Each structure stands twice: as structure tokens, then as C-alpha cells.
Amino acid sequence: MDSKRHQTLQMADILDKAMLNSQATPQLSLDYPEIGLKQAYQVQAAGIEKRMNRSEKLLGIKMGFTSRAKMLQMGVDDLIWGRLTSTMQLVEGDRVSMQRFIHPRIEPEIAFRLNKTLKGKVSLLEAMDAVEAIAPALEIIDSRYANFKFSLADVVADNSSSSGFVLGQWCSPKQDISNQAMVMEINGKPVQIGSSSAILGNPWRSLVEAARLAAESDICLEAGWIVLAGAATAAHPLCTGDHVCLHTSSMGQVHLHAGE
Amino acid sequence: MQSQATDAELRAAMQLRQAQECGQPCAPVRTLLADNDLDSAYRVQQLNTEYWQQQGRRLVGRKIGLTSKEVQTQLGVNQPDFGALFADMAIAEGDEIPFSAVLQPKIEAEVALVLEQDLDMQQPTLADILRATAFALPALEIVGSRVENWDIRIVDTVADNASSGLYVLGGKPTPLSQIDLKLCGMSLSCRGEPVSTGAGVACLGHPLSAALWLAKTMAQLGQPLRAGDTILTGALGPMVTVQPGDVFDCEISGLGSVRASFSAK
């Protein structure tokens, strides 16, 4: 094994341990200043491979930095993505144990379910044609880094902070999702109010970008996969005892209880 | 509000009027008024509303401001405020707005309501608002401040007609029975780039709750809302600074769209 590959596995190990122990770790880029975006995605892939070896299944991918505001905030000019696995999927209505997280935040999203493969550069129409259902979704992001602080390579290596997600009811994709209200309430109080148009102007564009970015890592979006289009608002801290509900204009709602 | 205006209030009103007439922002008026004295600030606003009416400007309704929790927190208040709308503040959609028409302009997307009945009962309820409203329209409000650098506290903005400027109404009316004003999405873009997004909930939890507050307040003041009045109910998302040449498109799901374009100079 060459030294670069060895280093990649080392980094994946550090992040995996941080996740399993629910214990934040220093940014990788401090100890491995040469880590670039390409190696960061390799670290992410190696980390996911570890999880698959523990019998987790790959369910799809999530998109990150899909709002212009967030890109400007982070000083980046491209989107990032991460992988969704079976242990990350939470059941709507269940009490989610908070012990597995470090400093979780929650954000409102839209999920796509594919029934066709999407590979590389696809048109908006091809992307739309590959979706059999859409659902409102909540994603829990939980950076494995101390204080939620990271560089672009750091966050990519850390599976783009993705830690959990819950889906509402699947509904027909034949509705306008370009300007859905996204109202995220915690214990009945709106904490984030936005519109799905914050996701690249129209969430469908996020799916086109997902196919393009995944192809850069030689991955195609498979039939049956879930794609989370990205957050419509800023993330909000999630605390034990919280009941979170996302309300949308016409896609319904999705709930999550944060338990002990 | 019915009581006699003080000399300080007359001076504050004059200062704000001159800023508007000269196109030159002025110092905050809070130094002339008592701290947090809203009644005094509204007396200043009323002095100017009456002045403008005497000058022949037609009063066509009211705007509601400070309808978001964040903005209320910023200004240290727990209620919205209101200002007067005059006919010459309504810009036809498609007309270019001279950039200099509003001092220090910012823009926000709102739901406008047009009344078909008076709301002159002393204790109106949501049912009265629903019955009295002819239809809703998408609206863009261009707010501005006569106070230099938007250096405002609550008494400044109330005295300054709730920082009102101009407004543009979309032309397609929607009856309230056909729209969910609480869960409508709002997308405001500038030349195709989303610059502000939100939803109906952002306006006091529901734009009709804001309208109800206004109806109650105006009835108590003895200046009830009347049939034909336009109400701008308050922003559905963060307001955005306007630059010369900007073109803003607002879409409110279920209500349609409205555009405001500004001259390059």
C-alpha cells in the first residue's frame, strides 16, 4: 500500500472513531495540511467502506452547500456531497437517541427517490424523469470536528457532516417544488422559515449537480437511491427533548423526537 | 395620540418632512422625543400624514412593519408598527423606479390585502378580517429611511411613517378562500439569483394575524380601516438592500408574482 493510501485510511480511522465514540476530534487539515478535495473524498469513501463492513447499507447521497448564502459564508464556490447509510435513516415518529451525536444540528430538506440510474452530466428533464417520488425530510448534521469548525476538505472527509435523516411521506413528484414553504418548528415555535427556492433556486437543479459530482468519484446515482437536495435554511441546534416538525406548502410534514 | 402635539414633536415631524422633500437623510429624531414613547412617535407620524393629506396626497391604506420576531428583537419591541400608504407610493408594475426615489432603499416581499368592507368595529376578530377582505395580491415594498444610515430605534421608525417608501402590487387578485397564506413559499430573486426566501409564517405567524392587529389598532385610534383600503401585511423574508439597476422578481406560491425594477442611476 502506498503512503498516500495509508494516510487516507488513517484519516478515515480517526473520523470513524470520533463518530463511534461521539467524541469530537481536531480538524484533519491541522495534522494533514496537504489534504485536498480529491483525497478528502477518498477519506469519505474509506470511512463509508468501514461502515459497510459493519453491515451498513448505502442508501443514497446528500448534497451540501446548496444555498448561495451558505457558499458565501463558507467561502466556497462548489457544492459538496456525502453518503447516506442505513444506520443514518431514522424512523419518523421514533425517539432518536441523542447519545450517538456530538453537537447535532437539524435542517429542513427535500428528498428524491430514484427509479432510474443517473450518471454524470444529465439534463434537468432527465433528472426529473428519474424520480418516482419526493418527500419532505429532516437531516441531522453533526460534524465530527471540535466546535463544528472545518475547512472544505475537512467537511468532505467527514461525510459532509451527515449523521441522520428522517423522511416524511413519499408523494408525487408531479407538483411544483420550486417555491415550497419550509417552516421548521421546534416544540411548536418556528425556528427556521424559508422556501425551497433557496436550494439552488430550484431543488431539481440539486439532483443534476448530484449526478455530476458523484461521477467525479466514478459513482452513478442508482435506481432505488435517495438523494437529499440540500438545506433550505440555516441549521438549528437539536437538543434532548425537542420535537421537530417541518411543514411544507403541499408536500406535507415530517416529525422527529429527540430522546435521551 | 389624540392629545396635542408638543413643540418637540412638531420639530421632529418637520425634520423628517424636510429630509423627504430635500432628498437628504436627517439625524435620528429620538433625541427630540422621550425614550420609547410610542404615543409621541405616532403623533409625529400623524402630523405628517395630515400635512401630506392637506397637500392633496390621497391616503389609500396602511403598511404593517416589524412583523418578524428577529426585527422586533433587534429594535427591542414586542409588537409591530404601522405607517400610512399614499396613492403616489403605488408604482405600476413594469414602470421603472428611479433609484433616487427612495432614500437608502431596501426591498421586501409581502402579501397585500384589499378590503371591500369597513373594519370599524371596536373588537374585530379573524372572522371580520376574512369577511372584509376582497382579495390578496403579491406585493413588493421598497422601504427607505429618512434617517441617516438607517440609524433607527423604535421611535425613529414609527415617527418616520414606519420607514415606508414605495410599493408595487401584482395584478392578479386571489380570494382568501383559494390560498394558504400561512404556508405559502416566498422567493425573491434579483436577476435570477435568490436573494431572500421565506414563507407566510414569517409575518407574525400568519399575515392575517398582522392584519387583525392593524384593524384593532386603527379602530382603537378612531381611524378604522375602510372599504377599498390596501394593507401591506409585512415581510415574508429578510429585506434586501437595493442597488442601482436591480430588477427584483418576487414569487409567492399560490399568489403569483410581481416585479420591481430600478433605474441604473
Side-chain angles (χ1 to χ4, degrees), chain A residues 3-57:
Chain A
S3 67
K4 185 116 187 178
R5 179 70 189 156
H6 182 67
Q7 196 187 55
T8 298
L9 295 179
Q10 265 182 350
M11 288 192 270
D13 214 37
I14 291 169
L15 290 170
D16 195 52
K17 285 209 170 70
M19 180 187 73
L20 291 175
N21 300 328
S22 309
Q23 198 75 49
T25 191
Q27 290 173 243
L28 288 178
S29 56
L30 299 177
D31 287 325
Y32 303 87
E34 68 281 13
I35 183 176
L37 204 51
K38 188 171 173 211
Q39 191 178 20
Y41 275 112
Q42 288 164 354
V43 173
Q44 182 190 120
I48 294 296
E49 208 173 304
K50 279 173 176 294
R51 301 175 71 154
M52 310 264 275
N53 289 338
R54 296 196 291 261
S55 321
E56 293 187 35
K57 288 190 176 53

Side-chain angles (χ1 to χ4, degrees), chain A residues 68 176 178-183 190 193-195 197-198 200-201 232 247-249, chain B residues 180 182-188 193-194 196-199 201-202 236 251-253:
Chain A
R68 175 66 58 180
D176 188 352
S178 65
N179 190 17
Q180 292 269 326
M182 302 288 275
V183 179
I193 300 172
S195 154
S197 73
L200 296 179
H247 301 266
T248 66
S249 301
Chain B
D180 176 1
K182 183 177 169 185
L183 283 179
C184 53
M186 184 285 290
S187 176
L188 176 64
E193 195 72 63
S196 175
T197 57
V201 177
L236 303 188
E251 209 237 10
I252 299 175
S253 56

Side-chain angles (χ1 to χ4, degrees), chain A residues 173-189:
Chain A
K174 306 239 178 303
Q175 57 181 311
D176 188 352
I177 58 165
S178 65
N179 190 17
Q180 292 269 326
M182 302 288 275
V183 179
M184 187 165 73
E185 292 179 347
I186 293 188
N187 303 329
K189 291 216 166 59

Side-chain angles (χ1 to χ4, degrees), chain B residues 136-152:
Chain B
L137 298 168
L140 282 169
E141 183 185 2
I142 299 108
V143 293
S145 183
R146 265 61 57 175
V147 177
E148 192 148 29
N149 297 322
W150 277 90
D151 174 19
I152 55 168

